[in-house]
Amino acid sequence: MSDTLFPFFNSNSDKVALVEGENKHTYSEVNDRINLFSSGILGAKEDLNEERIAFFLPASLDYVTTMHGVWRAGGIAVPLNVASAVSELDHYLTCAKVTRLIAGTQYHDSLKGLCNSLKIELLSVSDVMAEEPRALPLINPERRAMMLFTSGTTNKPKGVVSTHKTICAQITTLITAWEWSERDVIPLFLPLHHIHGIINILSCGLWAGATVHLFSKFDIPKISKQITHGTYNVFMAVPTIYVKLIQYFETIEKDEVDKICAGFSAMRLNISGSAACPVKLFEQWKELTGQILLERYGMTEIGMGISNPYNGERRAGAVGQPLPGVQCQLFDENDNVVERDSEPGEIRIKGDNVFLEYWENEEATKSSFKDGWFCTGDVAVVEQGYYRIMGRSSVDIIKSGGYKLSALEIEGVLLTHDSISEVAVIGIEDDIWGEAVTAFVALKEGTALEFDSLKSWCEGRMSSYKIPKHLKLVDALPRNAMGKVTKPSLKELL
Ligand code: MLC
Ligand code: AMP
């Protein structure tokens, strides 16, 4: 099973695994703590038998303890977004049929009501810890290990279930491709309910025996200070973060900028992913730091699929070639393999890295595979041996700052507003966010709506990053002969 395969956890190593503020935790200390957590969460049971244990924890020793503790005890780990609105949490907990929720004590007051109503036991990590370790179950790698929620072309996020074997494959391909080693030190400031943070940074780091510095958010001054000290040799982020760093450089003294850029320049690797890295950003970063960004392509359902080479040409605007162990093919609309260069096709993926299923959603699972290939919905071309992402087959998916958002989910919430009669949400190109959530709204007769009041109304009803960045009031939405909103024509209304 993937957890006991994390080689450094079995080595009683005094190497530092995690840095959290002023505190440093060695592999052997973290390992012992995980065993106590697993023993405690098992209680009288031999095996959690895929019980869903959710956790609502920021990046922390407690997060790592819980994730690995659930894995070792045979449960399914369900990490939740600590920035979720309560209505969103309700869906995750209900959909996954979560039985126990582990949360930092600072969140207990706000979670108590929901947990009571859903009959979920609310605990903190210290409530769970056993006094003594006990024998833990042997776990078949084909068993379910983790569930992450992903937005898509339905109005409620689906639970993406991966097995221990999936996780192992997703980690090891990156260890090989990006030459991870125990000498690596990496900052982790991305949210820990998505694979970018969970697999690419935290899990690869811990698998390799590297040191991972945990931040509860992307705190530019704090992280920049460490970078000037030469603390890190690897940096992984979404394009928005590189944009925000460049914006930050414009607000500080040139001396300081030079020191930060020198810190980046000395690193062995800077990676961009989760959304398209504009060529302009790639060039700017190279000019500022000398670093040639390594862009890669991934998805919650597959981990990482395609990557520019660690050794070799990293091409601007391209995502490279399939990773070791990942099979990748482009298919046309008639499900034929695209044979010729420069002809677009949907990216389809096979391999041990591919998820098992959408949780209790056989229909969605079935329709997302064709002949054993997982259909990503992303369209690409191959040009001189390099894949280039052209876009997505669905207008209902928006990528904002690396978060995948469902237009339908946002529309569903906006439609409950008293003044709104119809609404369509799309992503429009944006220099900072990649795409910015934009709502086109037709109002009920005799009502008015100010953008600021709509934004305030959205607070608490959806995570803040889903709240529209633009509002356009229209008399009616453009529709085709079938009555369906023609979303591509909406951009012209702006
Ligand atoms: C924050 N805000 C966003 C936003 N993030 N708005 C739109 N899109 C986003 N992504 C808004 C907040 O609501 C808030 O609005 C304001 O910006 C400041 O919030 P913040 O939290 O202080 O912002 P910041 O820390 O700068 O966050 C930006 C960010 C964050 C880029 C660090 O969005 C982030 O961590 N993104 C990465 C998500 C990720 O890990 N994706 C990977 C998915 S896996 P207001 O109005 O309240 O001020 C995947 C597969 C793969 O995609 O290939 O990796
Ligand atoms: P998620 O479902 O949150 O895991 O997001 C996965 C999606 O992010 C993919 O299906 C792509 O649309 C997008 N994505 C990830 N990496 C890249 C990239 N390098 N370029 C363009 N899109 C990307």
Side-chain angles (χ1 to χ4, degrees), residues 150 274-276 295-300 319 378 392 399 404:
T150 190
S274 300
E295 185 175 3
R296 79 336 174 256
Y297 160 87
M299 193 172 182
T300 305
V319 292
D378 291 308
R392 282 182 294 272
K399 262 272 156 160
K404 186 185 202 177

Side-chain angles (χ1 to χ4, degrees), residues 16 58 67 76 84 166 174 232-233 260 281 284 294 307 320 333 338 353 359 364 392 399 403 411-412 427 462 474 484:
V16 174
M67 171 78 94
I76 300 181
S84 297
T166 320
L174 299 184
Y232 312 124
N233 67 340
I260 302 170
L281 179 61
Q284 273 178 310
L294 183 154
S307 169
E333 282 152 7
V338 171
N353 57 304
W359 175 253
R392 282 182 294 272
K399 262 272 156 160
Y403 282 119
E411 288 164 8
M462 58 179 84
V474 293
K484 197 171 167 347

Side-chain angles (χ1 to χ4, degrees), residues 70-83:
V70 172
W71 284 344
R72 286 185 197 178
I76 300 181
V78 188
L80 299 173
N81 177 5
V82 288

Side-chain angles (χ1 to χ4, degrees), residues 149-151 194-196 239 272-277 295-304 306 318-319 376-378 389-392 397 399 402-405:
F149 280 88
T150 190
S151 298
H194 281 309
I195 49 159
H196 194 156
S272 172
S274 300
C277 174
E295 185 175 3
R296 79 336 174 256
Y297 160 87
M299 193 172 182
T300 305
E301 287 86 337
I302 63 162
M304 295 303 106
I306 310 174
V319 292
T376 62
D378 291 308
I389 311 289
M390 310 281 288
R392 282 182 294 272
I397 291 172
K399 262 272 156 160
Y403 282 119
K404 186 185 202 177
L405 310 179

Side-chain angles (χ1 to χ4, degrees), residues 191 194 217 244 274 296 298 399-403 433 464-465 469:
H194 281 309
K217 66 176 300 234
K244 287 193 170 228
S274 300
R296 79 336 174 256
K399 262 272 156 160
S400 169
Y403 282 119
W433 302 112
S464 69
Y465 51 80
K469 297 267 188 265

